[in-house]
């Protein structure tokens, strides 16, 4: 090859280095042409030996998720079929449980109250939350194709975290409803009008999707140049920020700030409401009244504790740790599966309606 052509190739390597393309490619949401050169280190121009191994190919440069769980769950990679079964059963139970609650609230007149309206909306959010993650995870486990495109990865991340943030604010609206019903029972029907209820439901969606936009956009603006393997079972902020070649300090700080506002502050608000509720309930002379009030609130408090206890730990310290993926699994899969049972078995009204509905189904079938 002529000396002029060699010099041109070395100049191309310089441009490759200036553009921060690590290795053979940079992580971009498109197909690129990759040129393989006979160098051990593309940045080391002095090692150029004049031997050009020039092969050009099209490669889909997506983000490689540890979908086979070799990176996310190294110790479980030999039980992949079992993981498919566990995730599938978790997803089916979550769907069936939350759809059942929505159905009961819709068809049973005795459940046409503000509290059960909020619970049905919360169940819908739980369905959306698990549906963003688990179907894709199952597809990865079954097909063993653990590649996800840049755009799909960030879309999954934005939708999942936005749904989670919406749940944070919705839980505050739910405890506000209980606080108002217990502390101001006479003014409750006047304040909690249908229009006001719809506003209380819409506001969490606006707050959740708006606040999450900032850290997601900042993370998307980072430069990703490899490695492109996410140490997680889905796209999340901390694992993606750890892959960035550019400085992720600002995006990490924003992630922690948003996590504190969406998680810690809302949870503190919930605790404050419940302290006041407990103080009010403790003054009730009737034991039956106390039991009914605590029964109504205890289910919501357990659900909030499970959700915040795992979610806040993961996102307040965005750099992440080895155990974050397990904590994330708890509130992405286990909590949505458990919540319908908490609301069902700890709530007398729902139990009675469920028993009534089951009897209505069984009796015609037995005839």
């Amino acid at each position: 090859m002529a000396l002029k052509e060699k010099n041109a190739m070395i100049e191309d390597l310089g441009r490759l280095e200036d553009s921060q393309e690590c290795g053979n490619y940079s992580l971009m949401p498109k197909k690129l042409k990759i040129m393989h050169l006979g160098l051990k280190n593309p940045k080391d121009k002095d090692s150029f030996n004049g031997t050009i191994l020039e092969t050009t190919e099209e490669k889909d440069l997506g983000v490689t998720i540890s979908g086979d769980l070799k990176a996310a769950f190294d110790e479980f990679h030999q039980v992949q079929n079992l993981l498919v079964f566990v995730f599938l059963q978790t997803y089916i139970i979550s769907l069936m449980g939350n759809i059942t609650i929505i159905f009961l609230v819709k068809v049973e007149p005795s459940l046409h109250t503000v509290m059960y309206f909020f619970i049905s909306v919360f169940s819908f959010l739980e369905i959306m939350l698990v549906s963003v993650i688990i179907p894709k995870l199952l597809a990865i486990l079954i097909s063993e194709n653990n590649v996800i495109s840049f755009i799909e990865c960030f879309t999954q991340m934005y939708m999942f975290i936005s749904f989670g943030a919406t749940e944070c604010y919705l839980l505050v609206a739910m405890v506000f409803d209980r606080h108002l019903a217990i502390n101001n029972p006479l003014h409750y029907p006047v304040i909690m009008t249908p229009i006001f209820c719809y506003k209380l439901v819409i506001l969490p969606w606006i707050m959740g999707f708006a606040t999450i936009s900032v850290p997601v956009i900042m993370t998307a603006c980072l430069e990703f140049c490899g490695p492109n393997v996410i140490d997680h079972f889905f796209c999340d902020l901390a694992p993606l920020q750890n892959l960035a070649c550019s400085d992720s300090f600002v995006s990490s700080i924003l992630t922690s700030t948003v996590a504190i506002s969406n998680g810690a502050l809302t949870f503190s608000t919930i605790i404050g409401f419940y302290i006041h509720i407990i103080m009010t309930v403790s003054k009730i002379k009737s034991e039956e009244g106390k039991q009914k009030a605590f029964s109504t609130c205890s289910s919501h408090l357990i659900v909030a504790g499970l959700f915040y206890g795992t979610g806040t730990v993961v996102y307040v310290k965005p750099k992440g740790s080895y155990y974050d993926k397990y904590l994330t699994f708890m509130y992405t899969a286990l909590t949505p599966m458990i919540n319908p049972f908490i609301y069902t078995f700890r709530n007398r009204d729902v139990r009675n309606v469920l028993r009534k509905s089951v009897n209505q189904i069984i009796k015609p079938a037995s005839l």
Side-chain angles (χ1 to χ4, degrees):
M1 181 179 290
L3 181 61
K4 186 176 181 180
E5 294 178 352
K6 294 180 182 179
N7 292 335
M9 293 302 299
I10 294 176
E11 290 177 2
D12 289 339
L13 287 174
R15 287 193 294 271
L16 181 67
E17 180 180 4
D18 293 338
S19 64
Q20 295 185 351
E21 292 184 354
C22 304
N24 290 332
Y25 57 88
S26 90
L27 185 61
M28 296 293 290
K30 58 184 180 180
K31 291 185 177 181
L32 300 178
K33 290 186 176 181
I34 303 167
M35 185 171 288
H36 305 279
L37 303 177
L39 306 176
K40 290 184 178 179
N41 183 2
K43 293 184 178 181
D44 187 4
K45 301 181 184 66
D46 295 333
S47 68
F48 185 76
N49 57 15
T51 304
I52 306 297
L53 304 176
E54 184 175 326
T55 59
T56 302
E57 63 178 348
E58 295 265 329
K59 186 169 182 177
D60 189 4
L61 299 180
V63 180
T64 302
I65 293 184
S66 50
D68 55 3
L69 305 186
K70 291 182 179 179
F73 299 96
D74 287 337
E75 61 269 36
F76 297 139
H77 68 276
Q78 294 181 344
V79 289
Q80 186 163 314
N81 291 333
L82 178 61
L83 288 174
V84 171
F85 176 79
V86 170
F87 281 117
L88 181 60
Q89 293 302 312
T90 300
Y91 185 56
I92 292 174
I93 294 172
S94 298
L95 286 182
M96 291 181 63
N98 286 290
I99 289 174
T100 299
I101 289 179
I102 295 173
F103 174 77
L104 292 176
V105 173
K106 181 70 175 177
V107 300
E108 178 56 41
S110 64
L111 299 182
H112 290 177
T113 63
V114 176
M115 183 181 73
Y116 292 111
F117 171 67
F118 281 131
I119 289 176
S120 65
V121 175
F122 187 81
S123 295
F124 175 76
L125 262 175
E126 295 280 58
I127 293 173
M128 300 303 293
L129 192 72
V130 295
S131 297
V132 169
I133 301 299
I134 296 185
K136 179 63 179 179
L137 178 59
L138 288 172
I140 288 172
L141 287 169
I142 294 171
S143 66
E144 298 185 357
N145 178 18
N146 59 346
V147 175
I148 184 171
S149 69
F150 186 91
I151 294 176
E152 186 181 0
C153 179
F154 273 86
T155 300
Q156 182 192 62
M157 179 177 67
Y158 177 65
M159 297 303 294
F160 168 74
I161 305 176
S162 296
F163 287 137
T166 302
E167 284 195 5
C168 291
Y169 291 103
L170 183 62
L171 286 169
V172 174
M174 292 169 70
V175 73
F176 169 76
D177 169 66
R178 292 298 85 209
H179 179 272
L180 189 63
I182 293 173
N183 287 277
N184 297 283
L186 297 179
H187 296 89
Y188 180 79
V190 178
I191 297 174
M192 296 301 291
T193 61
I195 295 177
F196 186 68
C197 290
Y198 286 123
K199 288 180 179 179
L200 280 179
V201 167
I202 294 172
L203 185 61
W205 289 83
I206 296 174
M207 293 291 292
F209 278 78
T211 55
I212 294 302
S213 299
V214 179
V216 170
I217 290 173
M218 292 299 296
T219 303
C221 291
L222 296 174
E223 296 176 0
F224 298 92
C225 55
N228 64 333
V229 179
I230 300 175
D231 186 23
H232 217 313
F233 59 90
F234 69 95
C235 293
D236 206 356
L237 279 171
L240 277 173
Q241 290 167 356
N242 291 337
L243 293 182
C245 299
S246 56
D247 187 8
S248 61
F249 176 77
V250 175
S251 61
S252 297
I253 292 298
L254 282 172
T255 301
S256 295
T257 303
V258 172
I260 291 171
S261 63
N262 287 347
L265 292 182
T266 54
F267 186 62
S268 300
T269 303
I270 291 173
I271 295 299
F273 274 127
Y274 270 114
I275 290 174
H276 196 203
I277 288 173
I278 292 171
M279 291 173 62
T280 302
V281 172
S282 62
K283 297 177 182 178
I284 299 176
K285 295 181 180 180
S286 170
E287 289 297 327
E288 184 180 353
K290 286 183 180 180
Q291 184 177 0
K292 184 177 181 180
F294 279 124
S295 176
T296 302
C297 298
S298 60
S299 299
H300 178 264
L301 191 58
I302 292 171
V303 170
L306 287 172
F307 181 78
Y308 281 104
T310 53
T312 303
V313 170
V314 173
Y315 290 105
V316 168
K317 51 181 190 61
K319 273 297 178 185
S321 68
Y322 175 77
Y323 297 102
D324 283 356
K325 60 180 73 74
Y326 301 100
L327 293 173
T328 305
F329 173 72
M330 287 187 64
Y331 73 85
T332 56
L334 292 183
T335 303
M337 180 184 70
I338 295 172
N339 286 346
F341 295 98
I342 295 175
Y343 283 122
T344 301
F345 293 121
R346 295 190 62 85
N347 191 297
R348 185 185 305 171
D349 295 335
V350 178
R351 287 202 308 267
N352 292 336
V353 171
L354 183 61
R355 190 181 299 112
K356 176 183 174 182
S357 301
V358 172
N359 290 334
Q360 288 177 348
I361 296 173
I362 294 175
K363 284 182 179 180
S366 61
L367 296 176

